[in-house]
């Protein structure tokens, strides 16, 4: 017997963003809201010299793990902004998500004065907070993107309201299962220790509060696809009475969907997740995944570059950009670009 009910066919990015804003009490994030400030900030003399000479700015986006499929559309958006604005752009970061390597790479750039604007997506908020302050104190415009660092000296945040998106995911899942649904919801994440995972899971937990559903997890699956699948398989082998599986990111979602399809549980367990990889789209088309939430990674890459460029070149105040959320189902899948 299927637990599925009809999912709302299309929810626009604006509508979901509004829901997330009401749920989490925020929408677009300004520099002040994000814990950073332009007050007292002085652009480094070497950057000002490049601006005065009309030299292209060197803007780096440090992503916490460029080996993830999600990095591809971020890079595409970043490159589009670079071409439009005449800016030298580069996606950097540690393969495998090692926070220590990310910090070391950033410190080298700062010390060598090899970067004119910096956007950081943190593998670990605690680990990255000091190097964000180091960049700020060195006169390098610095923001966070994709994953927020609200307690750091970042000057803004470009990305999705993570807690709000998790709560929206939970509420939509309740619509899929029905208000009187009972059973377990097993939650998976590629990195349960990451700040973005904490935020999204916190919202998800809040969204299911008061329901008859029991949350199991979140269970860490890691970034490697085969290992992630094996973790999902071993976790599910020890569970009974599961009504749904929720992935908190692109790759735990596809691992969970693969297990659901191969185990023959597609009609009995609802699967929901995040991002629109090619594999995710295929699982939606084959009725394995009920819905996923796109967070527009290409726009994150584009806006991160634009915000930094406009501040350094034009003096435009840095404001955060909420890139929004959109529920993707079988009904609107054809209108949604894949993210790998």
């Amino acid at each position: 017997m299927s637990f599925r009910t009809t999912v709302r066919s299309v929810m626009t990015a604006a509508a979901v963003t509004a829901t997330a804003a009401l749920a989490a009490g925020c929408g677009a994030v300004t520099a002040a809201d994000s814990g950073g400030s332009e007050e007292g900030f002085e652009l480094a003399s070497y950057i000002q010299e490049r601006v005065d000479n009309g030299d292209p700015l060197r803007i780096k986006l440090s992503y916490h793990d460029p080996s993830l499929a999600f990095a591809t559309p971020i890079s595409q958006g970043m490159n589009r902004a670079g071409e439009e604005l005449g800016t030298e752009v580069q996606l950097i970061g540690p393969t495998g998500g090692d926070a220590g390597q990310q910090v070391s790479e950033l410190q080298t750039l700062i010390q060598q004065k090899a970067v004119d604007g910096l956007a950081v997506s943190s593998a670990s908020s605690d680990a990255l907070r000091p190097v964000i302050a180091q960049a700020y104190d060195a006169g390098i415009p610095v923001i966070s993107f994709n994953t927020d660092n609200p307690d750091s000296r970042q000057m803004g945040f470009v990305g999705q309201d993570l807690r709000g998106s998790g709560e929206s995911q939970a509420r939509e899942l309740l619509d899929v299962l029905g208000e009187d649904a009972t059973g377990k919801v097993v939650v998976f994440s590629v990195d349960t220790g990451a700040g973005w995972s904490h935020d999204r899971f916190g919202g998800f937990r809040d969204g299911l509060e008061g329901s008859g559903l029991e949350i199991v997890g979140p269970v860490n699956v890691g970034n490697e696809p085969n290992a992630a699948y094996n973790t999902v398989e071993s976790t599910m082998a020890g569970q009974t009475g599961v009504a749904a599986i929720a992935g908190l990111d692109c790759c735990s979602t596809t691992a969970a969907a693969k297990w659901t399809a191969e185990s023959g549980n597609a009609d009995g367990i609802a699967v929901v997740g995040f991002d629109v990889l090619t594999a995710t789209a295929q699982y939606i088309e084959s009725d394995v995944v009920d819905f996923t939430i796109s967070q527009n990674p290409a726009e994150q890459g584009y806006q991160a570059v634009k915000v930094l460029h406009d501040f350094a070149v034009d003096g435009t105040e840095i404001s955060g950009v909420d890139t929004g959320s959109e529920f993707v189902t079988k009904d609107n899948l054809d209108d949604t670009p894949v993210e790998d």
Side-chain angles (χ1 to χ4, degrees):
M1 175 181 177
S2 173
F3 285 103
R4 289 180 172 80
T5 58
T6 302
V7 182
R8 289 191 294 271
S9 60
V10 178
M11 182 171 285
T12 64
V16 183
T17 301
T19 301
L22 290 173
C26 64
V29 185
T30 66
D33 293 332
S34 300
S37 174
E38 297 169 30
E39 184 178 352
F41 178 82
E42 184 176 350
L43 194 67
S45 59
Y46 77 89
I47 300 176
Q48 187 63 60
E49 184 177 350
R50 292 181 66 86
V51 172
D52 294 341
N53 291 338
D55 297 330
L57 290 183
R58 301 162 298 175
I59 294 179
K60 312 286 188 184
L61 272 60
S62 176
Y63 188 58
H64 56 268
D65 188 355
S67 68
L68 294 176
F70 194 78
T72 300
I74 287 176
S75 182
Q76 292 169 345
M78 174 194 73
N79 288 329
R80 178 165 61 90
E83 291 175 3
E84 290 182 9
L85 300 170
T87 302
E88 295 178 5
V89 296
Q90 184 182 10
L91 187 73
I92 61 175
T95 299
D98 185 284
Q101 290 181 16
Q102 188 177 20
V103 168
S104 178
E105 184 176 45
L106 292 171
Q107 287 177 331
T108 298
L109 287 172
I110 295 167
Q111 291 164 1
Q112 294 180 351
K113 300 182 179 180
V115 61
D116 307 321
L118 188 58
V120 177
S121 173
S122 305
S124 165
S125 296
D126 290 340
L128 269 291
R129 194 173 295 121
V131 78
I132 290 173
Q134 185 179 350
Y136 182 95
D137 290 339
I140 300 169
V142 56
I143 64 171
S144 290
F145 79 104
N146 186 250
T147 60
D148 199 2
N149 269 297
D151 297 325
S152 73
R153 298 187 73 183
Q154 67 185 27
M155 299 167 72
F157 171 61
V158 171
Q160 186 184 71
D161 176 358
L162 294 169
R163 192 174 188 91
S165 68
E167 185 164 354
S168 295
Q169 182 191 37
R171 291 182 175 180
E172 188 70 11
L173 176 60
L174 288 173
D175 282 351
V176 171
L177 297 176
E179 293 183 2
D180 298 327
T182 59
K184 298 176 182 177
V185 179
V186 184
V187 182
F188 293 103
S189 169
V190 296
D191 186 359
T192 54
W196 63 263
S197 186
H198 282 293
D199 291 345
R200 194 168 273 163
F201 176 69
F204 185 83
R205 183 181 54 219
D206 290 347
L208 289 187
E209 188 174 359
S211 73
L213 296 168
E214 173 191 351
I215 295 177
V216 177
V219 178
N220 191 84
V221 301
N223 293 328
E224 202 283 314
N226 290 330
Y229 175 83
N230 291 337
T231 300
V232 171
E233 183 178 44
S234 61
T235 300
M236 297 306 297
Q239 299 296 329
T240 59
V242 175
I245 298 174
L248 297 180
D249 50 78
C250 62
C251 304
S252 64
T253 298
T254 53
K258 180 181 179 181
W259 174 85
T260 304
E262 295 186 356
S263 64
N265 282 291
D267 287 335
I269 298 178
V271 179
V272 300
F274 278 88
D275 307 322
V276 193
L277 305 185
T278 298
T280 311
Q282 292 170 345
Y283 285 124
I284 291 174
E285 186 64 35
S286 59
D287 295 320
V288 175
V289 171
D290 290 79
F291 69 81
T292 190
I293 299 178
S294 171
Q295 55 178 314
N296 207 345
E299 188 68 7
Q300 291 182 8
Y302 180 90
Q303 291 294 339
V305 173
K306 189 176 189 310
V307 163
L308 291 167
H309 171 275
D310 290 354
F311 172 75
V313 175
D314 302 323
T316 304
E317 180 182 359
I318 290 182
S319 292
V321 179
D322 186 344
T323 55
S325 307
E326 182 178 4
F327 286 116
V328 180
T329 72
K330 195 172 183 178
D331 293 324
N332 65 335
L333 181 61
D334 289 343
D335 299 323
T336 305
V338 295
E339 298 171 354
D340 61 355

